[in-house]
Amino acid sequence: MSTTQVIVLNGGSSSGKSGIVRCLQSVLPDPWLAFGVDTLVDAMPPSLRDAGADGIAFSPDGEVAVGEQFRTLDAAWADGIAAMARAGARIVVDDVFLGGPASQQRWRQALDGLRVLWVGVRCDPAVAAAREIARGDRPSGMAAAQAEAVHRGVAYDLEIDTTHTEPLDCARAIAARV
Amino acid sequence: MSTTQVIVLNGGSSSGKSGIVRCLQSVLPDPWLAFGVDTLVDAMPPSLRDAGADGIAFSPDGEVAVGEQFRTLDAAWADGIAAMARAGARIVVDDVFLGGPASQQRWRQALDGLRVLWVGVRCDPAVAAAREIARGDRPSGMAAAQAEAVHRGVAYDLEIDTTHTEPLDCARAIAARV
Amino acid sequence: MSTTQVIVLNGGSSSGKSGIVRCLQSVLPDPWLAFGVDTLVDAMPPSLRDAGADGIAFSPDGEVAVGEQFRTLDAAWADGIAAMARAGARIVVDDVFLGGPASQQRWRQALDGLRVLWVGVRCDPAVAAAREIARGDRPSGMAAAQAEAVHRGVAYDLEIDTTHTEPLDCARAIAARV
Amino acid sequence: MSTTQVIVLNGGSSSGKSGIVRCLQSVLPDPWLAFGVDTLVDAMPPSLRDAGADGIAFSPDGEVAVGEQFRTLDAAWADGIAAMARAGARIVVDDVFLGGPASQQRWRQALDGLRVLWVGVRCDPAVAAAREIARGDRPSGMAAAQAEAVHRGVAYDLEIDTTHTEPLDCARAIAARV
């Protein structure tokens, strides 16, 4: 019997989270909803990406900075995900813990009382940087900047490494723990 | 002072909801999150779109049928949107009330206690069908099938008609009521 | 009998060319291939969009500047389109004549000997700017900057105005001349 | 000095061609235009994908069938690519040789007189099928059906295998032969 209610995947840009999520939706027997940090960013007004907007800024070297407005909406978003899970939907969330353990703590508070599987998605920084070139739709440098930083101080139930393992195999390893 | 917490737009496929939502995000002074029925459908596993999956099915003539699994996830989704609004995020939701007043009733329950602006987005069926051809990414027939059906028995604070009015002007009319 | 081999649509950003092209493919009895300036830009290496790359640059105020490398590839592209038409494919091309009559002259040379229908796609600059907001995926300002400039000194067989006319009706007007 | 004018990559669906193409555009010193079979399919009217349309049909088991209309446009497309190369543009083409050696023969005729590098992109069928699930945007079964069939009887200057090699490394191996 599946008892996990929320799966949280944390990993840097181009570490392979999205492919794993799609495979998870395919291999898990029940229907799981998949939401990611991209879902939230796409839901925000474009003006929050403007310079000096206190929203979210992607610098040319791959750094990502978030401001107060972003954090407020991000917190509301996490509360919304938690409410969906409490209403009975199984949910996979992928995120990039730019704040490391503080990011995890925010999710812990929002998901309080729910059964959560915490998964770290690692990838060798050089390989992630190469995949960033291959996908061609991300600012150059994000993959390398985030590959290790997002995991520092974060605690997981399971860690997977996509450097030499296909997304489907990673998904199966996660599904075995759900 | 803005007191509305959630704007719900209801209208058929190709009635112009998405363009209005983007304009709303541009003209409203605060940042509003925008979610639509497409956000939910994209979050579901592709298998829910398979024949006989009890999820969501698009027939060649433009009819859309939803099953029990879809309705369960849809209800959880509405609860999640409500939780985001209660946590302080302003939210624009666009939806297609395939169930008419029953769809509205489900949203009413989920959004209980929140200040909601209900907006009907109408478009002449023939014009909506023509715009469906122009966008080229929707099954033919959805626009005509939904244009009037989704409004029957639904109550609004404001109705707009996109047949002869640009999305930005529609958005301004809505923003004036927020 | 259809005798036109190539339809060239020229108009500013957000004037409604893409919607008209999709409608043309729907209303014309034979299969027509549709290519646009976006097809070419997408085919170029992303580095041509870097600052100082001599490729194509989009400035924050909506201006578009193209360099020598872009022009070389653009000329080869036009020769390729012409070769497809000479090989028997019917083709709709949409473009933005940033160089005005010089842009048209380059197409005239490439399409030499082919039966071409030249169509100007106009839109009131304020309306095009409003539609730019509604679509949400273009740098702000392009629509207004290009709305009238791209038509100066250009000769057409047919001019249409999308300000108050739906894409499908525009397409029918064009199809009647093919 | 670069003497190759056209690089043709042939491989099954989900074999990794697109990622290699983006990496090639990044590592090759000159700007190369990238076109694929998807560029052509996107340029066709949607009606060519209708049942019985004599265009292109994707069956539920992953088989792809093309009709007379598709082949006519495909031949014109190849002539267009050749003309772009003769006009001085360097071009990477990715294709799926559904017709095996006959497909290659059509390209050979179109590219007559140009210096072409023929590259086979192989991937273990099971791995390609797994990646098809991870990307989530292709009909299930195409990857397995095409993985080996498209290479039978085709002659290459270079063959690469993406099963255990990253796209960037594959691109470097190709670039070394350009």
Side-chain angles (χ1 to χ4, degrees):
Chain A
M1 192 196 75
S2 160
T3 58
T4 299
Q5 295 169 288
V6 180
I7 303 171
V8 179
L9 303 185
N10 174 44
S13 181
S14 293
S15 63
K17 299 183 300 296
S18 299
I20 293 172
V21 168
R22 281 187 287 264
C23 289
L24 271 171
Q25 291 189 300
S26 172
V27 301
L28 287 166
D30 296 306
W32 287 67
L33 292 178
F35 295 106
V37 63
D38 288 346
T39 316
L40 174 61
V41 171
D42 289 348
M44 292 185 176
S47 59
L48 280 192
R49 274 165 257 165
D50 290 351
D54 204 22
I56 183 164
F58 301 90
S59 75
D61 65 351
E63 289 295 325
V64 180
V66 300
E68 196 52 36
Q69 299 240 42
F70 183 92
R71 265 188 289 265
T72 302
L73 296 175
D74 191 29
W77 165 251
D79 284 346
I81 297 290
M84 291 183 218
R86 288 193 189 102
R90 294 173 188 83
I91 301 187
V92 192
V93 174
D94 73 76
D95 200 358
V96 183
F97 287 2
L98 294 172
S103 299
Q104 185 172 36
Q105 185 54 24
R106 279 202 300 274
W107 275 110
R108 273 194 207 285
Q109 287 175 351
L111 301 174
D112 186 45
L114 293 161
R115 290 181 298 274
V116 180
L117 185 75
W118 299 92
V119 181
V121 181
R122 293 182 175 274
C123 182
D124 178 273
V127 170
R131 290 178 185 167
E132 186 176 70
I133 295 171
R135 64 193 289 189
D137 61 351
R138 300 290 145 146
S140 175
M142 280 177 67
Q146 299 175 355
E148 295 179 339
V150 300
H151 295 293
R152 270 182 217 123
V154 178
Y156 298 113
D157 297 306
L158 176 66
E159 292 188 62
I160 55 177
D161 191 312
T162 67
T163 310
H164 300 294
T165 309
E166 294 288 323
L168 183 57
D169 295 319
C170 294
R172 286 183 177 137
I174 297 168
R177 295 286 300 273
V178 166
Chain B
M1 195 196 73
S2 160
T3 59
T4 300
Q5 294 169 288
V6 180
I7 304 170
V8 179
L9 303 185
N10 175 45
S13 182
S14 293
S15 64
K17 299 182 300 294
S18 299
I20 293 172
V21 168
R22 283 187 286 265
C23 289
L24 271 172
Q25 290 190 300
S26 172
V27 300
L28 287 166
D30 296 306
W32 287 66
L33 292 179
F35 296 107
V37 63
D38 288 347
T39 317
L40 173 62
V41 171
D42 289 348
M44 292 185 176
S47 59
L48 280 192
R49 273 164 260 163
D50 290 352
D54 203 22
I56 183 164
F58 301 89
S59 75
D61 65 350
E63 288 296 324
V64 181
V66 301
E68 196 52 37
Q69 299 240 41
F70 183 92
R71 265 189 288 265
T72 302
L73 296 174
D74 191 29
W77 165 251
D79 284 346
I81 296 291
M84 292 183 217
R86 289 193 188 100
R90 292 173 189 84
I91 300 186
V92 191
V93 175
D94 73 78
D95 201 358
V96 183
F97 287 2
L98 294 172
S103 300
Q104 185 172 36
Q105 185 54 24
R106 279 203 301 274
W107 274 110
R108 273 195 207 284
Q109 287 176 351
L111 300 173
D112 185 46
L114 292 161
R115 289 181 299 275
V116 181
L117 185 75
W118 299 92
V119 181
V121 181
R122 294 183 175 273
C123 182
D124 177 275
V127 171
R131 290 178 185 168
E132 186 176 70
I133 296 171
R135 63 192 290 190
D137 62 351
R138 300 290 146 146
S140 175
M142 280 176 67
Q146 300 175 352
E148 296 181 338
V150 301
H151 295 292
R152 269 180 217 124
V154 178
Y156 299 113
D157 298 305
L158 176 67
E159 291 188 62
I160 55 177
D161 191 313
T162 67
T163 310
H164 300 294
T165 310
E166 294 289 322
L168 183 57
D169 294 319
C170 294
R172 285 183 177 137
I174 298 168
R177 295 285 299 272
V178 166
Chain C
M1 193 195 75
S2 161
T3 58
T4 300
Q5 295 169 287
V6 180
I7 304 171
V8 179
L9 303 185
N10 174 45
S13 182
S14 292
S15 64
K17 300 182 299 296
S18 299
I20 294 172
V21 168
R22 282 187 287 266
C23 289
L24 272 172
Q25 290 190 301
S26 172
V27 300
L28 287 166
D30 297 306
W32 286 67
L33 293 178
F35 296 106
V37 64
D38 288 346
T39 316
L40 174 61
V41 171
D42 289 347
M44 293 185 176
S47 59
L48 280 193
R49 274 164 260 164
D50 290 350
D54 203 23
I56 183 164
F58 301 89
S59 75
D61 65 350
E63 288 295 324
V64 181
V66 300
E68 196 53 36
Q69 299 240 43
F70 183 93
R71 264 189 289 266
T72 302
L73 296 175
D74 192 30
W77 165 250
D79 284 347
I81 296 291
M84 291 182 218
R86 289 191 189 103
R90 293 173 188 82
I91 300 185
V92 191
V93 175
D94 73 76
D95 201 358
V96 183
F97 288 1
L98 294 171
S103 299
Q104 185 172 36
Q105 184 54 23
R106 280 203 301 275
W107 274 111
R108 273 194 206 286
Q109 287 176 352
L111 300 173
D112 185 46
L114 292 161
R115 289 180 299 273
V116 180
L117 184 74
W118 299 92
V119 181
V121 181
R122 292 182 176 274
C123 182
D124 177 274
V127 171
R131 291 179 183 167
E132 186 175 70
I133 295 171
R135 64 193 288 189
D137 62 349
R138 300 290 146 147
S140 174
M142 281 177 65
Q146 299 174 356
E148 295 180 339
V150 302
H151 295 293
R152 270 182 216 121
V154 177
Y156 298 114
D157 298 305
L158 177 65
E159 291 187 62
I160 55 177
D161 191 312
T162 67
T163 310
H164 301 293
T165 309
E166 294 289 322
L168 183 57
D169 294 320
C170 293
R172 285 183 176 137
I174 297 168
R177 296 285 300 272
V178 166
Chain D
M1 194 195 74
S2 159
T3 58
T4 300
Q5 294 169 288
V6 180
I7 303 171
V8 179
L9 303 185
N10 174 45
S13 182
S14 293
S15 63
K17 300 182 300 295
S18 298
I20 294 172
V21 167
R22 283 187 287 265
C23 289
L24 272 172
Q25 290 189 300
S26 173
V27 301
L28 288 165
D30 297 305
W32 287 67
L33 292 179
F35 296 106
V37 63
D38 288 346
T39 316
L40 174 62
V41 171
D42 289 347
M44 293 185 176
S47 59
L48 279 193
R49 274 164 259 163
D50 290 351
D54 203 23
I56 184 164
F58 301 90
S59 75
D61 65 350
E63 289 295 324
V64 181
V66 301
E68 196 52 37
Q69 299 239 43
F70 183 93
R71 265 190 288 267
T72 302
L73 296 175
D74 192 30
W77 165 250
D79 283 346
I81 297 290
M84 291 182 219
R86 289 192 189 102
R90 293 172 188 84
I91 300 185
V92 191
V93 175
D94 72 77
D95 201 358
V96 183
F97 287 2
L98 294 171
S103 299
Q104 185 172 36
Q105 184 55 23
R106 281 203 300 275
W107 275 110
R108 273 195 207 286
Q109 287 175 353
L111 300 173
D112 185 46
L114 291 161
R115 289 179 300 273
V116 180
L117 185 75
W118 299 92
V119 181
V121 181
R122 292 182 176 274
C123 182
D124 178 273
V127 171
R131 290 179 185 167
E132 186 176 69
I133 295 170
R135 64 193 289 189
D137 62 350
R138 300 290 146 148
S140 174
M142 280 177 66
Q146 299 174 354
E148 295 181 338
V150 301
H151 295 293
R152 270 181 216 124
V154 178
Y156 298 113
D157 297 306
L158 176 67
E159 291 187 63
I160 55 176
D161 191 312
T162 67
T163 310
H164 301 292
T165 309
E166 293 289 322
L168 184 57
D169 294 320
C170 294
R172 285 182 177 137
I174 298 167
R177 296 286 299 273
V178 166

